[in-house]
Amino acid sequence: MTRPAVATAHSSIPPGPARRRTGGAAVWAALAIVYVVWGSTYLGIRVVVETMPPFLSAGFRFTVAGLALGALLAWRRGPAVLKVTRAQLASTAVVGALLLLGGNGLVVLAETSVPSGLAALLIAVVPAWVVLLRTAFGERPGAGAYLGVLLGLGGLAVLTLPGLSGEVRIGGVLTVIAATVMWSAGSFTSSRIPMPSNAFTASAYEMVFGGLGCLLVGLVRGEHLGLDVTAFSARSWTALGYLVLFGSLLAFTAYAWLLQTAPLSLVATYAYVNPVVAVLLGALVLNEALTWPILLGGAVVVAGVCLIVSTERRA
């Protein structure tokens, strides 16, 4: 859950324009970027918050990434590409707040006490919440999707055991779960309110609004009081730069390109590959423990997500 309006990707894969069925090295290279880079952002966040305040660092990340994306769009396609109506601007503010402030911001806060791999697995349950939201609004995703929801929520219950047993702070686990609800609400809402037709333009505005929201929350929480920038480690600065350039710009660009060129059934596989990448990186780089609740709960959650995604692409 560490991505810009990519965020919609944690729900059902959004429809894109007519896709050219492109294959070969380009598609697999872009898919590898989405797999590895998005999966690694959980590790990046964990490293950032080692020495940096959560909401201020997240606010810096998204504001800088949003402004950079907007500048790149204006340079490549002309300033007119950033023109939106008031309704569309308000919509990007709402979605940006839900996805990046409520979703990503809470994840960053939670990772001050929750291992990155566990956070990624908890976040993977987002498609289950989206299915429930769709049901509440009169849609009927199908029996396979509901079975996936049951698996996902069952896995979520198992994943909360480290918090209940005291292995991690239960407050951090509950914070991640709250983030998944916010992320799901943002993903669901984004397809039902007037948004800019250009996905990159929408993402730029969402990142700026979400980033400014994170900065405001950080100031309200007093994260700036006694802040010593010289105490930020080179390791945290490197991770923050990685999140801005690779997590928020490169990976989203690759994802948007894939939506236009590759089969959705292939693009959708990121939803259950990312958590696996995050868990492996957390164990290899940060020596995060792979306990039985994480392994079992993670396997159940990933199975549920696989079922939801496969049901969606057959619909």
Side-chain angles (χ1 to χ4, degrees):
M1 189 170 308
T2 59
R3 24 214 101 119
V6 296
T8 54
H10 265 300
S11 63
S12 315
I13 299 298
R19 278 172 288 281
R20 307 184 308 275
R21 291 308 177 97
T22 301
V27 166
W28 284 107
L31 200 58
I33 290 172
V34 173
Y35 283 169
V36 177
V37 174
W38 277 0
S40 68
T41 53
Y42 300 94
L43 171 65
I45 289 173
R46 181 72 171 173
V47 173
V48 165
V49 297
E50 287 177 347
T51 61
M52 293 181 173
F55 279 101
L56 290 184
S57 62
F60 176 84
R61 169 192 172 186
F62 293 122
T63 303
V64 170
L67 292 174
L69 180 57
L72 181 62
L73 286 171
W75 174 61
R76 292 294 301 273
R77 302 186 183 183
V81 72
L82 299 176
K83 186 176 181 180
V84 295
T85 66
R86 290 185 179 181
Q88 291 171 335
L89 188 64
S91 295
T92 60
V94 170
V95 174
L98 289 170
L99 296 178
L100 302 180
L101 171 57
N104 276 293
L106 289 179
V107 170
V108 177
L109 177 64
E111 284 204 42
T112 60
S113 62
V114 173
S116 62
L118 176 57
L121 290 172
L122 289 167
I123 291 164
V125 81
V126 164
W129 297 130
V130 174
V131 169
L132 295 179
L133 280 171
R134 291 173 58 196
T135 301
F137 279 78
E139 297 183 35
R140 295 294 179 266
Y146 290 124
L147 180 56
V149 170
L150 290 176
L151 283 173
L153 296 182
L156 181 63
V158 176
L159 287 171
T160 60
L161 291 179
L164 295 175
S165 65
E167 295 177 41
V168 298
R169 294 181 183 177
I170 186 62
V173 173
L174 295 177
T175 298
V176 178
I177 294 174
T180 66
V181 174
M182 297 289 284
W183 194 291
S184 304
S187 300
F188 181 79
T189 301
S190 65
S191 63
R192 287 162 173 78
I193 56 179
M195 298 289 289
S197 57
N198 186 302
F200 293 102
T201 300
S203 182
Y205 281 113
E206 289 169 21
M207 284 194 284
V208 170
F209 282 122
L212 292 176
C214 287
L215 291 174
L216 179 60
V217 171
L219 294 176
V220 171
R221 294 182 74 241
E223 292 182 357
H224 61 294
L225 300 177
L227 189 64
D228 182 8
V229 177
T230 61
F232 297 166
S233 68
R235 174 179 159 112
S236 290
W237 277 116
T238 301
L240 184 61
Y242 176 82
L243 290 174
V244 171
L245 295 175
F246 293 91
S248 295
L249 292 176
L250 176 63
F252 177 62
T253 301
Y255 171 74
W257 180 80
L258 282 168
L259 282 181
Q260 297 180 4
T261 59
L264 286 180
S265 59
L266 181 62
V267 181
T269 57
Y270 93 92
Y272 41 87
V273 174
N274 281 172
V276 176
V277 171
V279 170
L280 292 177
L281 288 176
L284 292 173
V285 179
L286 299 179
N287 295 316
E288 294 178 350
L290 295 179
T291 62
W292 76 263
I294 290 178
L295 293 174
L296 176 60
V300 175
V301 166
V302 170
V305 173
C306 287
L307 187 55
I308 292 172
V309 169
S310 62
T311 300
E312 289 294 307
R313 72 189 187 212
R314 289 196 303 266

